Amino acid sequence: RDSVASRGLGDVYKRQGEMGLVKTPGIDISDTIEASEAHVSGKQSVEEVLMYFAGLCPGPNYHSLRSSSQESIRQNPISSMFGSTSMSSDGRVVAKTPPMNLNAGEDDQHNEAVLNRQIQKQFAIETQLVVKGQILPALRQILMEHRVKRELLQALCHHSPIVPEDRAYLLGHAFWLGFEHDFGSSIHLLCPQIEHIARMKLKEAGAHTSKIDRDGIEHENGLSTLMELPQAAQIFGEDLCFELKSTFTDSLGSNLRNEVAHGLLNDNSSSSISTVYAWWMVLRIVVHSLVEGLSLIHI
């Protein structure tokens, strides 16, 4: 059994005044690991095991995350009464959250920002549990029993109703890289391709995905802008819309689209919990589009 299972999901440390460090126990995920391995074990074909792999978990439930975050703020309001600053690994300020406005309701702009910060914290914990307890153990089990070929993954993308015909090779190759544990190379292919898929689905729904500057030159909007369009939640559904934003564009989340676009991921950070989750999430979306014969809507 790997070290994660034996130690639990990390050890959390908190500084308490001048009293030194207080260690809180980790979460034992050994049962989750065993269940994930069993979930994909003993399948007759790679095609079958991919369906089970994509069904490890359904993804986040935004309503549940929002409700639990609201309850967390109500029970521990002090931390929300102060603004916060989020820093990147190289010391840059990437986001600021204002203090809670105690004289306003939950729909206040400042209070929504405070709530989003808490939601992103909880989703980050959930993501870590999913990757360490389900995705990576299941992936190891699959690779012990099957050889996942690049040609199969490209064929999967070719037949998917959400993958454009001229993107099957690139996206299939990105999926194959993940099965080779090269998540760093995979994420650099996945980010622009999931942005293109989102753009195409929005265009099909009649959304304006570009802007024209004063010189009459048309520029395509990036994923961050695309996901803020009013049609996004209608097309992708509340849960998937949140998942895409948190993983790829939210500065309080993983923000992978912008990290990749600006060359900010290095050899280590490009193979993180977030990049593994992003790889599996996009694979899940594509597999579901094939299995269920659905478009990207409400997968």
Side-chain angles (χ1 to χ4, degrees), residues 221-278:
N221 292 325
L223 187 60
S224 300
T225 303
L226 294 176
M227 295 309 298
E228 294 302 324
L229 292 174
Q231 295 93 335
Q234 300 171 7
I235 294 169
F236 306 126
E238 183 180 58
D239 293 336
L240 182 55
C241 191
F242 165 76
E243 190 177 19
L244 288 168
K245 285 182 180 180
S246 297
T247 304
F248 290 106
T249 66
D250 197 311
S251 58
L252 290 174
S254 302
N255 202 20
L256 289 175
R257 184 272 179 194
N258 297 307
E259 294 283 299
V260 167
H262 299 298
L264 298 175
L265 295 180
N266 57 34
D267 291 344
N268 292 322
S269 61
S270 62
S271 296
S272 65
I273 292 292
S274 298
T275 58
V276 175
Y277 185 84

Short mmCIF file of all heavy atoms in Angstrom, two decimals, residues 221-278:
data_model
loop_
_atom_site.label_atom_id
_atom_site.label_comp_id
_atom_site.label_asym_id
_atom_site.label_seq_id
_atom_site.Cartn_x
_atom_site.Cartn_y
_atom_site.Cartn_z
N ASN A 221 -12.17 35.49 -27.36
CA ASN A 221 -12.08 35.61 -25.90
C ASN A 221 -11.48 34.34 -25.31
O ASN A 221 -11.68 33.24 -25.84
CB ASN A 221 -13.46 35.84 -25.29
CG ASN A 221 -14.02 37.20 -25.66
OD1 ASN A 221 -13.28 38.18 -25.76
ND2 ASN A 221 -15.33 37.27 -25.85
N GLY A 222 -10.76 34.50 -24.20
CA GLY A 222 -10.17 33.36 -23.51
C GLY A 222 -11.22 32.62 -22.69
O GLY A 222 -12.37 33.07 -22.54
N LEU A 223 -10.81 31.50 -22.12
CA LEU A 223 -11.75 30.66 -21.37
C LEU A 223 -12.34 31.39 -20.17
O LEU A 223 -13.51 31.18 -19.83
CB LEU A 223 -11.04 29.37 -20.92
CG LEU A 223 -11.91 28.31 -20.26
CD1 LEU A 223 -13.01 27.85 -21.21
CD2 LEU A 223 -11.07 27.12 -19.81
N SER A 224 -11.56 32.23 -19.52
CA SER A 224 -12.07 32.97 -18.36
C SER A 224 -13.29 33.80 -18.74
O SER A 224 -14.31 33.81 -18.04
CB SER A 224 -10.98 33.88 -17.78
OG SER A 224 -9.86 33.13 -17.37
N THR A 225 -13.19 34.51 -19.86
CA THR A 225 -14.29 35.34 -20.34
C THR A 225 -15.44 34.48 -20.84
O THR A 225 -16.61 34.78 -20.58
CB THR A 225 -13.81 36.28 -21.45
OG1 THR A 225 -12.73 37.08 -20.96
CG2 THR A 225 -14.93 37.19 -21.94
N LEU A 226 -15.12 33.40 -21.52
CA LEU A 226 -16.16 32.52 -22.06
C LEU A 226 -17.03 31.95 -20.95
O LEU A 226 -18.25 31.85 -21.08
CB LEU A 226 -15.52 31.38 -22.85
CG LEU A 226 -14.79 31.75 -24.14
CD1 LEU A 226 -14.13 30.51 -24.75
CD2 LEU A 226 -15.74 32.40 -25.15
N MET A 227 -16.40 31.55 -19.84
CA MET A 227 -17.15 30.90 -18.77
C MET A 227 -18.01 31.89 -17.98
O MET A 227 -18.84 31.47 -17.17
CB MET A 227 -16.21 30.16 -17.82
CG MET A 227 -15.47 28.99 -18.47
SD MET A 227 -16.56 27.85 -19.35
CE MET A 227 -17.62 27.27 -18.03
N GLU A 228 -17.81 33.18 -18.19
CA GLU A 228 -18.65 34.18 -17.53
C GLU A 228 -19.83 34.59 -18.40
O GLU A 228 -20.68 35.38 -17.94
CB GLU A 228 -17.81 35.43 -17.19
CG GLU A 228 -16.72 35.18 -16.15
CD GLU A 228 -17.28 34.65 -14.83
OE1 GLU A 228 -18.38 35.07 -14.45
OE2 GLU A 228 -16.61 33.81 -14.21
N LEU A 229 -19.92 34.08 -19.62
CA LEU A 229 -21.06 34.39 -20.47
C LEU A 229 -22.34 33.80 -19.86
O LEU A 229 -22.30 32.72 -19.27
CB LEU A 229 -20.85 33.82 -21.87
CG LEU A 229 -19.74 34.46 -22.72
CD1 LEU A 229 -19.55 33.68 -24.02
CD2 LEU A 229 -20.07 35.92 -23.01
N PRO A 230 -23.45 34.50 -20.00
CA PRO A 230 -24.70 33.98 -19.39
C PRO A 230 -25.12 32.63 -19.93
O PRO A 230 -25.79 31.86 -19.24
CB PRO A 230 -25.73 35.07 -19.74
CG PRO A 230 -25.13 35.84 -20.86
CD PRO A 230 -23.65 35.78 -20.66
N GLN A 231 -24.71 32.30 -21.16
CA GLN A 231 -25.09 31.01 -21.75
C GLN A 231 -24.31 29.84 -21.17
O GLN A 231 -24.71 28.68 -21.32
CB GLN A 231 -24.89 31.02 -23.27
CG GLN A 231 -25.77 31.99 -24.02
CD GLN A 231 -25.11 33.35 -24.23
OE1 GLN A 231 -24.23 33.75 -23.46
NE2 GLN A 231 -25.54 34.06 -25.24
N ALA A 232 -23.17 30.11 -20.49
CA ALA A 232 -22.29 29.03 -20.04
C ALA A 232 -23.00 28.09 -19.07
O ALA A 232 -22.97 26.87 -19.22
CB ALA A 232 -21.03 29.61 -19.40
N ALA A 233 -23.65 28.66 -18.06
CA ALA A 233 -24.34 27.82 -17.07
C ALA A 233 -25.51 27.07 -17.70
O ALA A 233 -25.81 25.94 -17.32
CB ALA A 233 -24.84 28.68 -15.91
N GLN A 234 -26.16 27.68 -18.69
CA GLN A 234 -27.27 27.02 -19.36
C GLN A 234 -26.79 25.83 -20.19
O GLN A 234 -27.43 24.78 -20.23
CB GLN A 234 -27.99 28.02 -20.28
CG GLN A 234 -28.56 29.23 -19.54
CD GLN A 234 -29.06 30.30 -20.50
OE1 GLN A 234 -29.09 30.10 -21.71
NE2 GLN A 234 -29.43 31.45 -19.96
N ILE A 235 -25.65 25.98 -20.83
CA ILE A 235 -25.13 24.94 -21.73
C ILE A 235 -24.48 23.81 -20.94
O ILE A 235 -24.74 22.62 -21.18
CB ILE A 235 -24.12 25.54 -22.72
CG1 ILE A 235 -24.83 26.52 -23.66
CG2 ILE A 235 -23.41 24.44 -23.52
CD1 ILE A 235 -23.88 27.34 -24.49
N PHE A 236 -23.63 24.15 -20.00
CA PHE A 236 -22.83 23.15 -19.31
C PHE A 236 -23.48 22.63 -18.03
O PHE A 236 -23.06 21.59 -17.51
CB PHE A 236 -21.44 23.70 -18.99
CG PHE A 236 -20.72 24.25 -20.19
CD1 PHE A 236 -20.22 25.53 -20.21
CD2 PHE A 236 -20.56 23.47 -21.33
CE1 PHE A 236 -19.56 26.04 -21.31
CE2 PHE A 236 -19.91 23.97 -22.44
CZ PHE A 236 -19.41 25.26 -22.44
N GLY A 237 -24.45 23.35 -17.52
CA GLY A 237 -25.04 22.97 -16.24
C GLY A 237 -24.25 23.59 -15.10
O GLY A 237 -23.06 23.89 -15.21
N GLU A 238 -24.90 23.80 -13.97
CA GLU A 238 -24.29 24.49 -12.84
C GLU A 238 -23.05 23.78 -12.31
O GLU A 238 -22.02 24.41 -12.06
CB GLU A 238 -25.33 24.61 -11.72
CG GLU A 238 -24.84 25.38 -10.50
CD GLU A 238 -25.90 25.48 -9.42
OE1 GLU A 238 -26.37 24.41 -8.96
OE2 GLU A 238 -26.26 26.61 -9.03
N ASP A 239 -23.11 22.47 -12.19
CA ASP A 239 -22.00 21.72 -11.59
C ASP A 239 -20.76 21.72 -12.48
O ASP A 239 -19.65 21.98 -12.03
CB ASP A 239 -22.43 20.29 -11.29
CG ASP A 239 -23.48 20.22 -10.20
OD1 ASP A 239 -23.57 21.16 -9.38
OD2 ASP A 239 -24.24 19.23 -10.16
N LEU A 240 -20.95 21.40 -13.77
CA LEU A 240 -19.80 21.35 -14.68
C LEU A 240 -19.23 22.74 -14.92
O LEU A 240 -18.01 22.91 -15.04
CB LEU A 240 -20.20 20.70 -16.00
CG LEU A 240 -19.08 20.55 -17.04
CD1 LEU A 240 -17.90 19.77 -16.46
CD2 LEU A 240 -19.61 19.87 -18.30
N CYS A 241 -20.11 23.74 -14.97
CA CYS A 241 -19.64 25.12 -15.14
C CYS A 241 -18.73 25.50 -13.97
O CYS A 241 -17.65 26.07 -14.17
CB CYS A 241 -20.84 26.06 -15.23
SG CYS A 241 -20.42 27.74 -15.76
N PHE A 242 -19.14 25.18 -12.75
CA PHE A 242 -18.31 25.46 -11.58
C PHE A 242 -17.00 24.68 -11.65
O PHE A 242 -15.93 25.22 -11.37
CB PHE A 242 -19.06 25.08 -10.30
CG PHE A 242 -18.17 24.98 -9.09
CD1 PHE A 242 -17.72 26.12 -8.46
CD2 PHE A 242 -17.76 23.73 -8.61
CE1 PHE A 242 -16.88 26.02 -7.35
CE2 PHE A 242 -16.93 23.63 -7.51
CZ PHE A 242 -16.48 24.79 -6.88
N GLU A 243 -17.07 23.41 -12.03
CA GLU A 243 -15.88 22.57 -12.09
C GLU A 243 -14.87 23.11 -13.10
O GLU A 243 -13.66 23.14 -12.84
CB GLU A 243 -16.29 21.14 -12.44
CG GLU A 243 -15.19 20.11 -12.30
CD GLU A 243 -15.69 18.71 -12.60
OE1 GLU A 243 -16.76 18.57 -13.25
OE2 GLU A 243 -15.01 17.75 -12.21
N LEU A 244 -15.35 23.52 -14.26
CA LEU A 244 -14.47 24.08 -15.28
C LEU A 244 -13.83 25.38 -14.80
O LEU A 244 -12.62 25.60 -14.98
CB LEU A 244 -15.24 24.32 -16.57
CG LEU A 244 -15.65 23.08 -17.37
CD1 LEU A 244 -16.66 23.44 -18.46
CD2 LEU A 244 -14.43 22.41 -17.98
N LYS A 245 -14.62 26.25 -14.20
CA LYS A 245 -14.08 27.51 -13.70
C LYS A 245 -13.03 27.27 -12.62
O LYS A 245 -11.93 27.84 -12.66
CB LYS A 245 -15.21 28.36 -13.11
CG LYS A 245 -16.11 29.03 -14.13
CD LYS A 245 -17.15 29.88 -13.40
CE LYS A 245 -18.09 30.57 -14.34
NZ LYS A 245 -19.09 31.40 -13.60
N SER A 246 -13.36 26.44 -11.64
CA SER A 246 -12.45 26.21 -10.52
C SER A 246 -11.14 25.58 -10.96
O SER A 246 -10.08 25.89 -10.44
CB SER A 246 -13.13 25.32 -9.47
OG SER A 246 -14.25 25.95 -8.93
N THR A 247 -11.23 24.68 -11.93
CA THR A 247 -10.04 23.97 -12.38
C THR A 247 -9.20 24.80 -13.33
O THR A 247 -7.97 24.79 -13.26
CB THR A 247 -10.44 22.66 -13.07
OG1 THR A 247 -11.24 21.88 -12.18
CG2 THR A 247 -9.22 21.86 -13.49
N PHE A 248 -9.85 25.58 -14.19
CA PHE A 248 -9.10 26.22 -15.27
C PHE A 248 -8.99 27.74 -15.19
O PHE A 248 -8.02 28.30 -15.72
CB PHE A 248 -9.72 25.84 -16.62
CG PHE A 248 -9.51 24.41 -17.00
CD1 PHE A 248 -10.56 23.51 -16.93
CD2 PHE A 248 -8.27 23.94 -17.42
CE1 PHE A 248 -10.38 22.17 -17.27
CE2 PHE A 248 -8.08 22.62 -17.76
CZ PHE A 248 -9.13 21.73 -17.69
N THR A 249 -9.93 28.45 -14.55
CA THR A 249 -9.91 29.90 -14.70
C THR A 249 -10.01 30.70 -13.41
O THR A 249 -9.70 31.90 -13.42
CB THR A 249 -11.06 30.37 -15.63
OG1 THR A 249 -12.33 30.12 -15.01
CG2 THR A 249 -11.00 29.65 -16.96
N ASP A 250 -10.43 30.14 -12.31
CA ASP A 250 -10.61 30.91 -11.08
C ASP A 250 -9.25 31.14 -10.41
O ASP A 250 -8.52 30.18 -10.14
CB ASP A 250 -11.56 30.20 -10.13
CG ASP A 250 -12.10 31.11 -9.03
OD1 ASP A 250 -11.29 31.82 -8.40
OD2 ASP A 250 -13.32 31.12 -8.81
N SER A 251 -8.93 32.40 -10.13
CA SER A 251 -7.64 32.71 -9.51
C SER A 251 -7.53 32.16 -8.09
O SER A 251 -6.42 31.99 -7.57
CB SER A 251 -7.40 34.23 -9.49
OG SER A 251 -8.45 34.89 -8.79
N LEU A 252 -8.66 31.86 -7.45
CA LEU A 252 -8.64 31.23 -6.13
C LEU A 252 -8.64 29.71 -6.24
O LEU A 252 -8.47 29.02 -5.24
CB LEU A 252 -9.85 31.68 -5.31
CG LEU A 252 -9.83 33.14 -4.84
CD1 LEU A 252 -11.15 33.48 -4.16
CD2 LEU A 252 -8.66 33.42 -3.92
N GLY A 253 -8.86 29.20 -7.45
CA GLY A 253 -8.81 27.77 -7.70
C GLY A 253 -7.47 27.38 -8.31
O GLY A 253 -6.44 28.01 -8.06
N SER A 254 -7.49 26.39 -9.18
CA SER A 254 -6.25 25.92 -9.80
C SER A 254 -5.76 26.85 -10.90
O SER A 254 -4.56 26.96 -11.15
CB SER A 254 -6.46 24.51 -10.37
OG SER A 254 -6.87 23.62 -9.36
N ASN A 255 -6.72 27.50 -11.60
CA ASN A 255 -6.37 28.51 -12.61
C ASN A 255 -5.43 27.96 -13.68
O ASN A 255 -4.53 28.65 -14.17
CB ASN A 255 -5.73 29.72 -11.93
CG ASN A 255 -5.83 30.99 -12.77
OD1 ASN A 255 -6.65 31.09 -13.68
ND2 ASN A 255 -4.96 31.94 -12.49
N LEU A 256 -5.62 26.71 -14.07
CA LEU A 256 -4.66 26.04 -14.95
C LEU A 256 -4.57 26.65 -16.34
O LEU A 256 -3.50 26.66 -16.95
CB LEU A 256 -5.00 24.56 -15.05
CG LEU A 256 -4.74 23.72 -13.80
CD1 LEU A 256 -5.24 22.30 -14.00
CD2 LEU A 256 -3.26 23.71 -13.46
N ARG A 257 -5.69 27.14 -16.85
CA ARG A 257 -5.65 27.70 -18.20
C ARG A 257 -4.66 28.86 -18.26
O ARG A 257 -3.83 28.93 -19.17
CB ARG A 257 -7.05 28.17 -18.60
CG ARG A 257 -7.15 28.68 -20.05
CD ARG A 257 -6.84 30.15 -20.20
NE ARG A 257 -6.91 30.60 -21.58
CZ ARG A 257 -6.43 31.75 -21.99
NH1 ARG A 257 -5.82 32.58 -21.14
NH2 ARG A 257 -6.53 32.10 -23.27
N ASN A 258 -4.73 29.75 -17.28
CA ASN A 258 -3.85 30.91 -17.28
C ASN A 258 -2.42 30.55 -16.88
O ASN A 258 -1.46 31.15 -17.37
CB ASN A 258 -4.42 31.99 -16.36
CG ASN A 258 -5.77 32.48 -16.85
OD1 ASN A 258 -5.91 32.87 -18.00
ND2 ASN A 258 -6.78 32.45 -15.99
N GLU A 259 -2.27 29.57 -16.00
CA GLU A 259 -0.93 29.10 -15.64
C GLU A 259 -0.21 28.53 -16.87
O GLU A 259 0.97 28.78 -17.08
CB GLU A 259 -1.02 28.04 -14.55
CG GLU A 259 -1.55 28.53 -13.22
CD GLU A 259 -0.50 29.30 -12.43
OE1 GLU A 259 0.55 28.71 -12.10
OE2 GLU A 259 -0.73 30.49 -12.15
N VAL A 260 -0.95 27.77 -17.67
CA VAL A 260 -0.37 27.20 -18.88
C VAL A 260 -0.12 28.28 -19.92
O VAL A 260 0.95 28.34 -20.54
CB VAL A 260 -1.30 26.10 -19.45
CG1 VAL A 260 -0.89 25.72 -20.87
CG2 VAL A 260 -1.27 24.87 -18.56
N ALA A 261 -1.10 29.15 -20.13
CA ALA A 261 -0.99 30.17 -21.18
C ALA A 261 0.19 31.10 -20.96
O ALA A 261 0.81 31.56 -21.93
CB ALA A 261 -2.29 30.98 -21.24
N HIS A 262 0.53 31.37 -19.71
CA HIS A 262 1.63 32.30 -19.40
C HIS A 262 2.93 31.59 -19.05
O HIS A 262 3.87 32.22 -18.58
CB HIS A 262 1.21 33.23 -18.27
CG HIS A 262 0.01 34.07 -18.60
ND1 HIS A 262 -0.01 34.99 -19.63
CD2 HIS A 262 -1.24 34.11 -18.06
CE1 HIS A 262 -1.19 35.57 -19.70
NE2 HIS A 262 -1.96 35.04 -18.77
N GLY A 263 2.97 30.26 -19.26
CA GLY A 263 4.20 29.52 -19.03
C GLY A 263 4.64 29.49 -17.58
O GLY A 263 5.85 29.45 -17.30
N LEU A 264 3.68 29.46 -16.66
CA LEU A 264 4.02 29.55 -15.24
C LEU A 264 4.19 28.19 -14.56
O LEU A 264 4.65 28.12 -13.43
CB LEU A 264 2.93 30.35 -14.50
CG LEU A 264 2.78 31.81 -14.96
CD1 LEU A 264 1.61 32.47 -14.27
CD2 LEU A 264 4.06 32.59 -14.70
N LEU A 265 3.81 27.11 -15.25
CA LEU A 265 4.00 25.78 -14.68
C LEU A 265 5.42 25.29 -14.95
O LEU A 265 5.92 25.41 -16.06
CB LEU A 265 2.99 24.80 -15.28
CG LEU A 265 1.51 25.05 -14.96
CD1 LEU A 265 0.65 23.98 -15.63
CD2 LEU A 265 1.27 25.06 -13.46
N ASN A 266 6.04 24.73 -13.92
CA ASN A 266 7.38 24.18 -14.11
C ASN A 266 7.33 22.65 -14.09
O ASN A 266 6.24 22.06 -14.09
CB ASN A 266 8.35 24.72 -13.04
CG ASN A 266 7.87 24.41 -11.62
OD1 ASN A 266 7.26 23.37 -11.36
ND2 ASN A 266 8.16 25.32 -10.70
N ASP A 267 8.47 22.01 -14.04
CA ASP A 267 8.51 20.55 -14.10
C ASP A 267 7.74 19.90 -12.95
O ASP A 267 7.16 18.82 -13.12
CB ASP A 267 9.98 20.06 -14.06
CG ASP A 267 10.74 20.42 -15.32
OD1 ASP A 267 10.08 20.75 -16.32
OD2 ASP A 267 11.98 20.36 -15.30
N ASN A 268 7.75 20.55 -11.79
CA ASN A 268 7.05 19.98 -10.64
C ASN A 268 5.57 20.36 -10.61
O ASN A 268 4.70 19.50 -10.48
CB ASN A 268 7.73 20.43 -9.33
CG ASN A 268 9.10 19.83 -9.17
OD1 ASN A 268 9.34 18.67 -9.52
ND2 ASN A 268 10.03 20.61 -8.64
N SER A 269 5.28 21.65 -10.74
CA SER A 269 3.90 22.11 -10.61
C SER A 269 3.00 21.64 -11.76
O SER A 269 1.78 21.60 -11.62
CB SER A 269 3.84 23.64 -10.52
OG SER A 269 4.39 24.24 -11.69
N SER A 270 3.60 21.26 -12.88
CA SER A 270 2.79 20.78 -13.99
C SER A 270 2.33 19.33 -13.78
O SER A 270 1.53 18.82 -14.57
CB SER A 270 3.58 20.87 -15.31
OG SER A 270 4.73 20.05 -15.27
N SER A 271 2.81 18.69 -12.74
CA SER A 271 2.36 17.34 -12.39
C SER A 271 1.81 17.35 -10.97
O SER A 271 2.23 16.59 -10.11
CB SER A 271 3.52 16.34 -12.52
OG SER A 271 3.96 16.24 -13.85
N SER A 272 0.84 18.21 -10.74
CA SER A 272 0.27 18.41 -9.41
C SER A 272 -1.07 17.69 -9.28
O SER A 272 -1.57 17.09 -10.23
CB SER A 272 0.06 19.92 -9.17
OG SER A 272 -0.92 20.41 -10.08
N ILE A 273 -1.64 17.77 -8.10
CA ILE A 273 -2.99 17.24 -7.85
C ILE A 273 -3.96 17.85 -8.86
O ILE A 273 -4.82 17.16 -9.42
CB ILE A 273 -3.44 17.56 -6.42
CG1 ILE A 273 -2.60 16.78 -5.39
CG2 ILE A 273 -4.93 17.27 -6.24
CD1 ILE A 273 -2.83 15.29 -5.40
N SER A 274 -3.85 19.14 -9.09
CA SER A 274 -4.77 19.85 -9.98
C SER A 274 -4.67 19.36 -11.42
O SER A 274 -5.69 19.22 -12.10
CB SER A 274 -4.51 21.36 -9.93
OG SER A 274 -4.74 21.87 -8.64
N THR A 275 -3.46 19.13 -11.90
CA THR A 275 -3.31 18.71 -13.30
C THR A 275 -3.80 17.27 -13.49
O THR A 275 -4.36 16.94 -14.54
CB THR A 275 -1.85 18.85 -13.77
OG1 THR A 275 -0.99 18.08 -12.93
CG2 THR A 275 -1.41 20.30 -13.72
N VAL A 276 -3.58 16.43 -12.49
CA VAL A 276 -4.11 15.06 -12.57
C VAL A 276 -5.63 15.10 -12.62
O VAL A 276 -6.26 14.41 -13.43
CB VAL A 276 -3.63 14.20 -11.37
CG1 VAL A 276 -4.29 12.83 -11.40
CG2 VAL A 276 -2.11 14.06 -11.38
N TYR A 277 -6.22 15.92 -11.76
CA TYR A 277 -7.68 16.02 -11.74
C TYR A 277 -8.21 16.56 -13.06
O TYR A 277 -9.21 16.06 -13.59
CB TYR A 277 -8.15 16.92 -10.59
CG TYR A 277 -9.65 16.96 -10.46
CD1 TYR A 277 -10.33 15.98 -9.75
CD2 TYR A 277 -10.40 17.96 -11.08
CE1 TYR A 277 -11.72 15.99 -9.65
CE2 TYR A 277 -11.78 17.99 -10.99
CZ TYR A 277 -12.43 17.00 -10.27
OH TYR A 277 -13.81 17.02 -10.19
N ALA A 278 -7.55 17.58 -13.60
CA ALA A 278 -8.00 18.16 -14.87
C ALA A 278 -7.95 17.12 -15.99
O ALA A 278 -8.87 17.05 -16.83
CB ALA A 278 -7.12 19.36 -15.22
#
